[in-house]
Amino acid sequence: DPKIIQKPKYLVAVTGSEKILICEQYLGHNAMYWYRQSAKKPLEFMFSYSYQKLMDNQTASSRFQPQSSKKNHLDLQITALKPDDSATYFCASSQDPGTDSDYTFGSGTRLLVI
Amino acid sequence: AQSVTQPDARVTVSEGASLQLRCKYSYFGTPYLFWYVQYPRQGLQLLLKYYPGDPVVQGVNGFEAEFSKSNSSFHLRKASVHWSDWAVYFCAVSKYYAQGLTFGLGTRVSVFP
């Protein structure tokens, strides 16, 4: 059974619209993260949360907003979508946010903005 | 700032041959290093991780990696490649507290009979 569930797997959106990417983890981890994988770029760290509190935000745009309604949930709301937002978005988690943590990744949500 | 360089974008290898994937890192302090594999249309799976100690780390599916502080490297090796190893391999270094991982661009490995 997948330990990190990301929904949906695929998403097509119109430029200017808003979408929410869902992430739930069942590992009992206390820290959760969002990463983005765009074509020809390395996997980029976006956000980290620990105990439902934002720890770090490396995303330049305020159009990307994480939302944590429960400890094992970290959704990603993206507003005013642009074609450049097309990417695969990965959710990850770790027991805690320390530098020696093990990270588990979900299978990703592939977003295409047209 | 931390960085990871994987100089080989693509590697082609015959089934049964040995494989080495290169990774160079830049990090101030003691690095925690990782190799992940991404199979087609799947998420990333951890192959192995390095914590300060023994420089040779054993991972899953016959993979191992060797850490070298003097060379700032963390190369991945496998003695005999199987067709199921066809995937993209990512090297990563842990960033500072709560900053997740810094990844390289990945090396795409193709395995042919």
Side-chain angles (χ1 to χ4, degrees):
Chain A
D1 289 336
K3 301 294 195 287
I4 299 183
I5 296 174
Q6 288 191 245
K7 292 184 284 191
K9 286 188 184 298
Y10 302 97
L11 187 56
V12 179
V14 176
T15 297
S17 66
E18 171 183 314
K19 292 295 180 187
I20 296 180
L21 281 53
I22 306 293
C23 177
E24 306 169 13
Q25 56 94 1
Y26 296 94
L27 294 160
H29 287 169
N30 300 311
M32 296 185 71
Y33 312 82
W34 277 102
Y35 286 81
R36 173 171 51 198
Q37 186 180 39
S38 306
K40 305 201 174 164
K41 287 186 180 178
L43 222 74
E44 299 171 278
F45 167 82
M46 299 177 72
F47 300 98
S48 61
Y49 263 65
S50 180
Y51 293 96
Q52 293 185 266
K53 292 185 180 176
L54 179 67
M55 300 296 290
D56 195 32
N57 177 357
Q58 297 279 333
T59 303
S61 173
S62 60
R63 297 186 298 106
F64 295 83
Q65 290 293 327
Q67 300 171 340
S68 180
S69 59
K70 291 189 237 182
K71 182 183 158 188
N72 67 328
H73 280 232
L74 185 64
D75 300 336
L76 179 63
Q77 180 186 40
I78 314 174
T79 57
L81 278 159
K82 302 177 180 180
D84 277 353
D85 298 330
S86 298
T88 301
Y89 291 82
F90 287 100
C91 177
S93 70
S94 63
Q95 185 61 45
D96 60 60
T99 55
D100 59 348
S101 294
D102 285 1
Y103 299 86
T104 301
F105 285 79
S107 56
T109 292
R110 200 163 186 174
L111 172 66
L112 175 64
V113 183
I114 56 175
Chain B
Q2 314 89 332
S3 67
V4 174
T5 302
Q6 294 181 248
D8 305 309
R10 294 177 181 270
V11 169
T12 300
V13 62
S14 298
E15 194 170 15
S18 63
L19 175 70
Q20 175 168 288
L21 303 181
R22 296 183 289 164
C23 172
K24 300 274 283 186
Y25 69 89
S26 172
Y27 188 87
F28 180 76
T30 303
Y32 296 89
L33 295 155
F34 303 79
W35 275 99
Y36 282 87
V37 61
Q38 185 177 28
Y39 299 107
R41 291 178 296 282
Q42 295 187 30
L44 281 74
Q45 299 175 30
L46 180 66
L47 276 178
L48 49 80
K49 61 191 178 196
Y50 168 78
Y51 293 165
D54 189 337
V56 178
V57 182
Q58 301 296 322
V60 297
N61 298 335
F63 285 94
E64 69 173 25
E66 184 164 5
F67 168 74
S68 170
K69 186 172 183 178
S70 59
N71 293 326
S72 298
S73 67
F74 188 55
H75 300 330
L76 181 71
R77 302 189 293 246
K78 185 169 183 178
S80 178
V81 169
H82 188 262
W83 65 266
S84 60
D85 295 322
W86 188 310
V88 182
Y89 294 79
F90 293 95
C91 182
V93 65
S94 184
K95 295 167 73 171
Y96 301 117
Y97 186 83
Q99 292 187 352
L101 298 171
T102 296
F103 284 86
L105 277 168
T107 298
R108 187 176 297 274
V109 173
S110 302
V111 182
F112 290 95

